[in-house]
Amino acid sequence: MTPEQIFKALSRNDDEFPEAALHAALQQRDALAPMFEAEAERLMKQFDEIMEKSKTEKQYAAAGEKLMRTPSPLFYGFLLAAEWKRKEAYRYYAYLLAWSWAGTPNLLSEIVYSDQAARLMAEIYDGDPTPLFNLLVDQYADQSYRFWQFRTLILLVKKGGLDLATVKDFLIRAFDLLEQEPEQHVWRGWEEVIIYFGLEELIPLVERAHKAEWILEGTIEEFREKWAYARAHPEAPIEGDLIAPYQGFDKEVAEAFANRARP
């Protein structure tokens, strides 16, 4: 298959698994990777144009819905970028994840609502945490996407791609930058990083966040229980959740396609 044929085959959102196209794509990284990045850049420009031209929320939603009618190859592009450890793709996906349409079936689909997005982002990380930090505190980005991206921080520290001191400094800054309204989902991701790494100096901030009721589905007592569990189980600090790294292309694709096909 030519790069153009592969790109076309991966630009469909249907029930047929594009096995041949994906295996062909793996062998043609140098040709295909720039094509995926050009497509990401094209979409980003269209998103920006929609933002600039829309005068009302209704216009914004209608323009986004129209744009997302066409299936994008970036669903598979994200998975391929991780397999290729394509650092050039990192900034594009950090940007795309800031848009509410990222989770639509014709773009990145269910990937963004799971720890799979964190695994993929950790594989394409280019060494600069700024795009990721900006995404995590972007109050216009979907809170569910951002919750899972806090796990990217955990994975990057575990694999040595990001210094824990840098993450701690960011978490302190984020305390003033995250949404400060009752029961915010994104705060759970912030709290989870603190628990995972045992950042004791940040406990007063966690207590303040709970007192203000910013953290969804949790109390300060539950935080203390999670904290105690994490300290007793340093090999797996989050009970029932290993926060595992990248699983390999075949497993990641199978999981992504299964979730995408979910009714």
Side-chain angles (χ1 to χ4, degrees):
M1 298 177 74
T2 67
E4 291 73 22
Q5 289 172 328
I6 295 169
F7 201 73
K8 183 177 180 180
L10 298 181
S11 299
R12 298 167 55 187
N13 183 7
D14 54 32
D15 294 333
E16 184 177 348
F17 182 61
E19 183 176 3
L22 282 170
H23 283 110
L26 287 172
Q27 307 307 314
Q28 299 190 49
R29 176 184 61 185
D30 292 345
L32 281 165
M35 293 173 68
F36 285 116
E37 288 147 25
E39 172 64 11
E41 189 164 352
R42 182 190 70 81
L43 269 182
M44 286 160 53
K45 288 179 179 177
Q46 289 188 287
F47 290 159
D48 287 341
E49 287 176 7
I50 290 172
M51 177 69 79
E52 182 179 344
K53 294 178 180 179
S54 298
K55 304 301 182 184
T56 65
E57 286 288 334
K58 186 175 181 180
Q59 289 178 342
Y60 175 81
E65 182 179 350
K66 182 178 179 181
L67 179 62
M68 288 295 99
R69 287 175 188 165
T70 303
S72 169
L74 295 179
F75 171 78
Y76 292 111
F78 199 5
L79 291 154
L80 286 163
E83 178 66 10
W84 294 330
K85 301 191 187 311
R86 180 76 178 179
K87 309 307 181 187
E88 294 87 345
Y90 165 66
R91 292 169 187 268
Y92 291 112
Y93 284 99
Y95 187 98
L96 290 173
L97 284 167
W99 288 86
S100 58
W101 301 311
T104 60
N106 281 340
L107 193 47
L108 302 183
S109 191
E110 292 292 324
I111 286 176
V112 302
Y113 296 108
S114 71
D115 57 355
Q116 185 168 39
R119 296 197 298 267
L120 300 181
M121 284 295 284
E123 291 300 302
I124 62 176
Y125 176 65
D126 71 359
D128 180 3
T130 303
L132 180 57
F133 289 169
N134 289 343
L135 169 64
L136 291 171
V137 298
D138 186 346
Q139 298 192 17
Y140 294 100
D142 188 284
Q143 291 212 20
S144 291
Y145 307 168
R146 292 156 61 203
F147 164 78
W148 291 107
Q149 284 305 305
F150 270 99
R151 294 192 166 200
T152 304
L153 299 181
I154 294 175
L155 290 171
L156 288 174
V157 171
K158 287 178 67 176
K159 67 190 297 187
L162 188 56
D163 185 79
L164 182 57
T166 300
V167 170
K168 186 174 78 169
D169 289 344
F170 166 71
L171 295 172
I172 293 170
R173 295 198 309 275
F175 182 83
D176 293 319
L177 296 172
L178 296 174
E179 295 89 324
Q180 297 187 350
E181 299 168 358
E183 297 191 341
Q184 298 298 299
H185 187 55
V186 70
W187 281 92
R188 286 186 58 214
W190 175 85
E191 180 187 60
E192 192 173 76
V193 180
I194 294 171
I195 293 171
Y196 195 96
F197 292 115
L199 301 176
E200 192 169 358
E201 310 95 304
L202 273 60
I203 290 179
L205 293 183
V206 176
E207 292 172 340
R208 286 170 59 186
H210 275 285
K211 186 175 181 179
E213 298 182 345
W214 295 337
I215 299 178
L216 182 68
E217 298 175 0
T219 64
I220 191 60
E221 290 75 23
E222 289 170 331
F223 164 77
R224 289 173 180 144
E225 290 175 3
K226 293 176 182 177
W227 179 272
Y229 179 91
R231 306 290 69 76
H233 302 82
E235 73 289 349
I238 304 300
E239 186 172 7
D241 195 333
L242 295 176
I243 310 188
Y246 185 69
Q247 306 174 89
F249 188 69
D250 289 341
K251 287 184 178 180
E252 295 290 356
V253 169
E255 179 179 322
F257 190 77
N259 288 335
R260 188 183 200 182
R262 196 181 292 163

